[in-house]
Amino acid sequence: MDTPDQWVAGARPRTLPAAVAPVLVGCGAAAALDGFRPGPALLAMVVALALQVAVNYANDYSDGRRGTDTDRVGPMRLVGSGAAAQRQVLVAACLAFGVAAVAGLVLAALSSWWLVAVGAVCIASAWAYTGGPVPYGYRALGEVFVFVFFGPVAVVGTTFVQTRSLEGLAFAVSVPVGLLIVAILVVNNLRDIDGDAAVGKRTLAVLLGDRRTRLLFVGLFVVAFAVIAAVGVVRPWALLGLLAVPLAVPPARTVLTGGRGPALIGALAGTGLLTLATGVLLGTGLALSG
């Protein structure tokens, strides 16, 4: 029988920094442009968190149906472990998508109705990651979509609903955020590389192989912080984001020294913490540069 603790675990709270960090950076960019508005900022956070929970439950449901989660090293899955019925998890995903949609409609009414189309694409893409007849997460495209939707779409979108304009600064700072969130996915798929290969799930990690996936993971850190340094040339306060660099050392060391299984669960948590810290520090630095 399922318990509340299992449903919390199924929502995968360690992935929530991937929802929070882009909004924080987008708000920082809006403040730097003298356009910060708390109402739309709060709604953007609700949309981001609801979508993250929704995609986690949707992945649980879709992977569980396919049998991908039968033998997992990582956090428990509700369907794959038998803790909850497929229909229950599907309903939970739909409810979370509904919360995101309602908050998104309010945001669109406050800023631009074009956001309805953007929101619809976000929801469709979230579902299609592992759901539907052609899940792109099974075709080594997950990293591309994660970068686009958690980087430019989330950061620029958060800035736009406050400033009502598309700003170069928002696009620039969306890059490091997107890359760090891609790193979360990369280390997650590195952990599952053997199991995914066994069931025919062709993630980028499966295609690249173990060694190159580990190098990619660390490379994402390097490029992300290099971009922050570049932004700091014109917005010096943005260099606060570099204070998060020490947090990159433990997960990078674990990955580069061949950590596997449970060790990579720690690296995943560490990458989430790094992403959140970078979002807080970079967002704060941007706000101070206004």
Side-chain angles (χ1 to χ4, degrees), residues 24-34 155 159 169-170 172-174 176-177 228 231-232 234-241 278-290:
L24 294 178
V25 173
C27 288
L33 299 164
D34 298 322
V155 176
T159 304
L169 177 63
V173 295
S174 74
V177 176
I228 292 175
V231 172
V234 292
R235 296 272 180 173
W237 279 106
L239 295 175
L240 279 178
T278 303
V280 171
L281 291 167
L282 179 57
T284 301
L286 290 169
L288 290 173
S289 73

Side-chain angles (χ1 to χ4, degrees), residues 131-190:
V134 189
Y136 62 83
Y138 281 57
R139 287 163 174 77
L141 293 172
E143 286 77 5
V144 174
F145 279 80
V146 163
F147 175 77
V148 170
F149 285 101
F150 285 87
V153 172
V155 176
V156 176
T158 298
T159 304
F160 175 81
V161 298
Q162 298 173 69
T163 64
R164 299 186 186 182
S165 60
L166 297 174
E167 301 288 346
L169 177 63
F171 280 98
V173 295
S174 74
V175 173
V177 176
L179 292 176
L180 290 177
I181 295 172
V182 168
I184 294 176
L185 178 60
V186 168
V187 73
N188 181 76
N189 288 344
L190 175 64

